[in-house]
């Protein structure tokens, strides 16, 4: 007599939940990964708060103020102390946009290279799960913590700047454009970074090499941020909308490329 | 007997290399089917094809009633595979590993938990279920991997070298598990280099090197290649006249003296052996043992697999 086969393809939400929980457990057990995940937001947060606090107690020199007015026309005309705080508060907001490019990249890279190294991919692929669903679940497992960490860091920064900073600083961090950027662009940037990390991980076996290649994703963000702070580019509502559309297109394109690379046969036969 | 694996001209090429060359296989329900061949023969590729992990270049296959290439997800649900490496999540506990896989096989949570418990107990790992797998010995990891492969009660279980590197105790547990699976009517497709194990466990054996060289029951292969030999030990030792008497018995093809015994090859030992005993006793010989002399499966393997090297 043959016993009944119990298996079926799992429902997508069940699969996503199972993969996320497993990946998070695995990540929490990896002290290096936890450290690398938390270090950038903590450093940016502490530095941002310290810089705003320092600007509140140390009045800038006339020369610094003139240079600031020239570099950042948005704060021209404000009281020097206010202007410096507003400038610093905005500058650190740009650094917050770096968190979703750095933090999930490491997680995503570990998620694929870790499985390659421990040879856990073959049993995983032997299940009735679709590889597209698996890739989606893996993307989400790296995206969710990164978005939460970025939002939490921003929340703390927001509250601290409002309580210790000047009116200009408070206005800078609560500008609807920036709130929208944090709410909308952070998840999009995170997804881009995650799928880029997965894509790179399909080709290399060394976490450090993958991080170095993936790290290039920060360059356009930094460039854009510097251009915005120095007044070379004005990020108005139209620009934010364009950036959002570009990021959505990039996200879809990179996910599609990652999906192409993430095929059962490729993984088992060609990945080394 | 129903077939659970049937292939027709199944072929897999990687560029210029033909790893699997037009194999025709038929594996029956409830049998332990041995798949033997040298390293690099294409055994793992065949396993991956039959588990719908990679696509064939040409040919067809039906596994557990599902067509390869059309019902791949259903095939993966209906089979279990033990890969060469255990591939467990080592930072996680034995329990978490099995429940995770049970979930991926679509088992509802209570069933997933019940199956995880069942297999952890079966493999003697229940007491260590909360410990991270990294603390387990190689044998324990291998048992965990077998439990993972069987957890969803597959109709066909593909086992790639299940006892390699295991101590005798762990290997025995694995072999007993395979026998128990056969008792439940499951099919086990066993890739192994352990010829003694294949001999003991397998109902039929396929010798393979990129293509199937031969499929048969181990005893039939031995008989076909080496005939069936009987070894007769006499007290105190055989005399020249005893050998002459034996050679005169109808049905005896060949007889010779070897290490104090008479070794007799005959076409039908069941018919010939009583005549041999009678002839020797009538001649005044004192018989200590009459045993069947079995060729080792290794000899059979070397005869079938090696010549094409």
């Amino acid at each position: 007599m043959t016993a009944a086969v119990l298996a079926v393809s799992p429902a997508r939400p069940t699969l996503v939940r199972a993969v996320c929980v497993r990946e998070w457990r695995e990540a929490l057990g990896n002290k290096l990964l936890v450290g690398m995940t938390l270090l950038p937001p903590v450093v940016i947060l502490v530095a941002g708060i310290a810089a705003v606090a320092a600007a509140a107690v140390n009045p800038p020199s006339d020369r610094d103020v003139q240079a600031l007015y020239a570099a950042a026309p948005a704060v021209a005309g404000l009281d020097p102390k206010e202007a410096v705080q507003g400038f610093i508060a905005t500058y650190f907001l740009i650094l917050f946009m770096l968190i979703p490019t750095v933090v999930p990249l490491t997680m995503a890279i570990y998620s694929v290279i870790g499985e390659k190294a421990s040879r856990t991919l073959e049993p995983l692929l032997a299940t009735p799960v679709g590889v597209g669903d698996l890739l989606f679940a893996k993307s989400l497992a790296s995206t969710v913590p990164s978005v939460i960490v970025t939002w939490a860091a921003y929340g703390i920064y927001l509250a601290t700047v409002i309580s210790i900073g000047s009116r200009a600083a408070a206005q800078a961090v609560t500008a609807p454009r920036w709130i929208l950027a944090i709410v909308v662009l952070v998840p999009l940037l995170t997804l881009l970074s995650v799928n880029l990390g997965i894509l790179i991980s399909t080709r290399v076996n060394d976490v450090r090499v993958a991080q170095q290649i993936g790290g290039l994703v920060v360059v356009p963000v930094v460039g854009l941020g510097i251009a915005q702070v120095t007044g070379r580019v004005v990020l108005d509502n139209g620009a934010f909308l364009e950036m959002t559309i570009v990021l959505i297109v990039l996200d879809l394109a990179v996910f599609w490329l990652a999906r192409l690379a993430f095929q059962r046969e490729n993984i088992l036969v060609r990945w080394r | 007997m129903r077939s659970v694996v049937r292939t027709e001209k199944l072929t897999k090429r990687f560029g210029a290399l033909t790893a699997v060359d037009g194999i025709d296989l038929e594996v029956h329900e409830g049998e332990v089917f041995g798949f033997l061949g040298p390293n690099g023969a294409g055994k793992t590729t065949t396993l991956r094809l039959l588990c719908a992990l990679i696509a064939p270049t040409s040919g067809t296959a039906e596994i557990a009633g599902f067509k390869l290439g059309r019902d791949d997800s259903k095939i993966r649900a209906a089979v279990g595979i033990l890969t060469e490496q255990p591939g467990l999540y080592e930072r996680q506990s034995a329990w978490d590993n099995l429940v995770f896989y049970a979930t991926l096989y679509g088992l509802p949570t209570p069933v997933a938990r019940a199956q995880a418990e069942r297999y952890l107990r079966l493999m003697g790992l229940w007491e260590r279920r909360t410990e991270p797998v990294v603390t387990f010995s190689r044998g324990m990891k291998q048992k965990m991997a077998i439990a993972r492969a069987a957890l969803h009660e597959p109709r066909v279980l593909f086992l790639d070298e299940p006892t390699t590197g295991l101590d005798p105790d762990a290997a025995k547990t694995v072999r007993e598990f395979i026998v128990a699976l056969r008792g439940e009517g499951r099919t086990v497709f066993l890739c192994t280099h352990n010829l003694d194990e294949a001999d003991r466990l397998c109902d039929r054996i396929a010798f393979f090197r990129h293509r199937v060289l031969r499929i048969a029951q181990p005893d039939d292969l031995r008989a076909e290649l080496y005939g069936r030999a009987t070894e007769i030990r006499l007290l105190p030792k055989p005399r020249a006249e005893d050998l002459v008497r034996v050679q005169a018995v109808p049905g005896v093809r060949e007889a010779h003296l070897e290490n104090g015994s008479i070794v007799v090859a005959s076409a039908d030992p069941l018919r010939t052996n009583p005549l041999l005993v009678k002839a020797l006793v009538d001649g005044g010989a004192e018989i200590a043992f009459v045993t069947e002399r079995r060729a080792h499966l290794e000899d059979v393997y070397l005869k079938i697999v090696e010549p094409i090297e």
Side-chain angles (χ1 to χ4, degrees), chain A residues 1-10 15 22 25-26 29 115 119-120 122-128 264-265, chain B residues 12 29 48 53 55 73 76-77 81 83 87-89 91-92 96 100-101 104-106 152-153 155 184-186:
Chain A
M1 191 191 76
T2 305
V5 177
L6 300 174
V8 290
S9 292
L15 163 71
R22 194 206 65 71
R25 276 196 187 133
E26 192 84 14
E115 295 231 34
R119 308 283 188 100
T120 48
E122 187 163 3
L124 194 61
L125 295 169
T127 64
R264 271 191 173 79
E265 185 153 344
Chain B
K12 182 66 185 178
E29 188 157 51
R48 286 173 171 174
L53 285 168
S73 174
R76 287 194 292 273
I81 182 170
T83 49
L88 298 159
Y89 295 109
R91 284 200 183 92
Q92 299 190 17
D96 286 341
F100 171 67
Y101 270 95
L104 295 197
Y105 278 106
H152 57 294
E153 309 296 356
R155 282 183 69 189
E184 287 178 8
R186 294 185 196 285

Side-chain angles (χ1 to χ4, degrees), chain A residues 146-269:
Chain A
S146 166
V147 170
I148 289 172
V149 163
T150 310
W151 284 352
Y154 174 70
I156 296 167
Y157 182 68
L158 194 75
T160 312
V161 169
I162 289 170
S163 61
I164 66 165
S166 65
R167 203 161 53 87
Q171 276 175 350
V173 293
T174 55
R177 190 179 302 148
W178 276 110
I179 291 177
L180 213 68
I182 295 288
V183 172
V184 178
L185 295 186
V186 162
L188 290 174
L189 271 172
T190 307
L191 270 175
L192 181 65
S193 181
V194 165
N195 288 314
L196 208 60
I198 290 173
L199 192 60
I200 295 162
S201 304
T202 64
R203 297 286 165 209
V204 295
N205 289 327
D206 191 314
V207 170
R208 286 162 302 181
V209 174
Q211 279 175 318
Q212 281 166 2
I213 300 169
L216 294 175
V217 77
V218 306
V219 174
V221 178
V222 171
L224 199 66
I226 291 170
Q228 203 264 341
V229 169
T230 56
R232 290 176 206 280
V233 169
V234 179
L235 289 180
D236 56 12
N237 293 343
F240 269 107
L241 186 67
E242 281 168 20
M243 273 173 61
T244 306
I245 291 166
V246 168
L247 275 175
I248 289 171
V249 171
L250 276 175
D251 276 337
L252 290 173
V254 175
F255 184 79
W256 179 73
L257 287 174
R259 177 71 185 82
L260 278 186
F262 210 80
Q263 303 271 356
R264 271 191 173 79
E265 185 153 344
N266 275 344
I267 295 167
L268 294 174
V269 178

